[in-house]
Amino acid sequence: GENVEQHPSTLSVQEGDSAVIKCTYSDSASNYFPWYKQELGKRPQLIIDIRSNVGEKKDQRIAVTLNKTAKHFSLHITETQPEDSAVYFCAARSFVASYDKVIFGPGTSLSVIP
Amino acid sequence: DGGITQSPKYLFRKEGQNVTLSCEQNLNHDAMYWYRQDPGQGLRLIYYSQIVNDFQKGDIAEGYSVSREKKESFPLTVTSAQKNPTAFYLCASAPLAGSDGYTFGSGTRLTVV
């Protein structure tokens, strides 16, 4: 079946450095790729998303790139801050006429060391 | 709670009991979802519904049941058939077809005692 792989599972960076999380997906019908941030004990929050007709999207310190041919997409966080510490989930969603399905990656635990 | 409310926040269940988790949204979203989250694991889909009176099994539906009698409500029942129900349960909603991602509820932490 469809799945989404995510790497690394844990990531530690020094404050101010960049962090990159990579995901691959298997469903060629996927056309929407959101990223969620989940702080400990809280709900996941959407931080950025990208559609399949776009290769890159940026929002301040966060950017996402998509390579549809290779079926992979990545989250880039620059100038990391301690408050960026959280678990990050990528997801791949398909909008096909008769169904709407989202598959999440297993998550990456990011620690930003002050 | 961002338009989607889960209750209770914490729930304790005795073995052999059925319990129901509530999820209500006022976002006018057509689609609603239930996920289970275990420590160190991602979000696994239990059930989802794209329209009132219709729902589909996700990847781990065994031992769970749902109903969608109203657009704004999607309660999840954890039955006694679910052998390992201790987990964090997240409800989410989304427009059926749109550019938005999910909106998640704040979750229910279920513990078997």
Side-chain angles (χ1 to χ4, degrees), chain A residues 1 4 9 15 44-45 49 57 71 78-79 81 92 103 108:
Chain A
V4 175
S9 57
E15 183 178 358
Q45 300 267 18
D49 54 15
K57 183 177 179 180
K71 295 184 188 173
T78 58
E79 301 172 21
Q81 302 167 2
I103 297 176
T108 295

Side-chain angles (χ1 to χ4, degrees), chain A residues 20-23 35 63-67 72-76:
Chain A
V20 180
I21 303 171
K22 299 181 179 181
C23 290
W35 285 87
V64 58
T65 58
L66 172 65
N67 183 329
H72 63 73
F73 55 114
S74 300
L75 178 72
H76 304 254

Side-chain angles (χ1 to χ4, degrees), chain A residues 32-65:
Chain A
Y32 175 66
F33 307 90
W35 285 87
Y36 292 86
K37 174 184 179 182
Q38 187 179 27
E39 296 176 7
L40 189 63
K42 296 187 177 180
R43 77 185 85 185
Q45 300 267 18
L46 179 69
I47 55 171
I48 196 168
D49 54 15
I50 191 168
R51 287 192 166 279
S52 57
N53 58 350
V54 175
E56 184 174 358
K57 183 177 179 180
K58 190 173 181 179
D59 182 4
Q60 299 182 345
R61 296 186 297 108
I62 295 174
V64 58
T65 58

Side-chain angles (χ1 to χ4, degrees), chain A residues 65-108:
Chain A
T65 58
L66 172 65
N67 183 329
K68 205 166 186 318
T69 303
K71 295 184 188 173
H72 63 73
F73 55 114
S74 300
L75 178 72
H76 304 254
I77 306 174
T78 58
E79 301 172 21
T80 54
Q81 302 167 2
E83 51 265 38
D84 294 330
S85 297
V87 177
Y88 292 81
F89 293 98
C90 61
R93 184 175 183 184
S94 298
F95 292 106
V96 179
S98 60
Y99 74 93
D100 171 20
K101 192 173 181 180
V102 174
I103 297 176
F104 286 86
T108 295

Side-chain angles (χ1 to χ4, degrees), chain B residues 80-92:
Chain B
S80 57
Q82 172 48 242
K83 297 306 177 188
N84 185 23
T86 296
F88 188 52
Y89 291 86
L90 283 161
C91 178

